[in-house]
Amino acid sequence: ARERDRGVISSLEAGVGSQRIAFTNVTRVTQMTQRVTASVTWRPSARFEISTMSSAGRMASPFTQAPGKYEYFTLGLQARVPLR
């Protein structure tokens, strides 16, 4: 295996924005939105890797009759092994 096919790989992504929700034709609410995603992959050999990923965010909730917040957090684990 080549040396560049092994090691640790990481990535980080972030986003910021605004979200506007109109409850009626007159009432509008604008709120900040944020999100961040990170992943780390360890590849001990060219044929095997293990990754972990995480994501979190906050945004205005469109499912309420008044301004509200919606938050989420995810965590994942993945392993890749070729079958041949």
Side-chain angles (χ1 to χ4, degrees), residues 2-23:
R2 296 180 302 206
E3 194 63 34
R4 69 179 180 179
D5 292 335
R6 301 183 308 178
V8 176
I9 304 163
S10 63
S11 69
L12 178 66
E13 178 182 327
V16 176
S18 66
Q19 181 178 19
R20 180 184 295 180
I21 297 178
F23 295 105

Side-chain angles (χ1 to χ4, degrees), residues 6-40:
R6 301 183 308 178
V8 176
I9 304 163
S10 63
S11 69
L12 178 66
E13 178 182 327
V16 176
S18 66
Q19 181 178 19
R20 180 184 295 180
I21 297 178
F23 295 105
T24 64
N25 289 337
V26 178
T27 307
R28 290 190 177 107
V29 175
T30 302
Q31 293 183 348
M32 289 287 293
T33 61
Q34 307 91 20
R35 68 176 170 78
V36 64
T37 303
S39 70
V40 176

Side-chain angles (χ1 to χ4, degrees), residues 46-84:
R47 296 184 48 82
F48 179 74
E49 69 182 39
I50 297 175
S51 300
T52 182
M53 310 68 112
S54 182
S55 179
R58 178 179 297 143
M59 62 204 71
S61 175
F63 301 110
T64 60
Q65 296 301 313
K69 292 259 187 213
Y70 172 74
E71 298 176 335
Y72 68 91
F73 177 78
T74 62
L75 183 63
L77 182 64
Q78 173 181 338
R80 290 187 189 189
V81 181
L83 299 177
R84 53 181 187 125

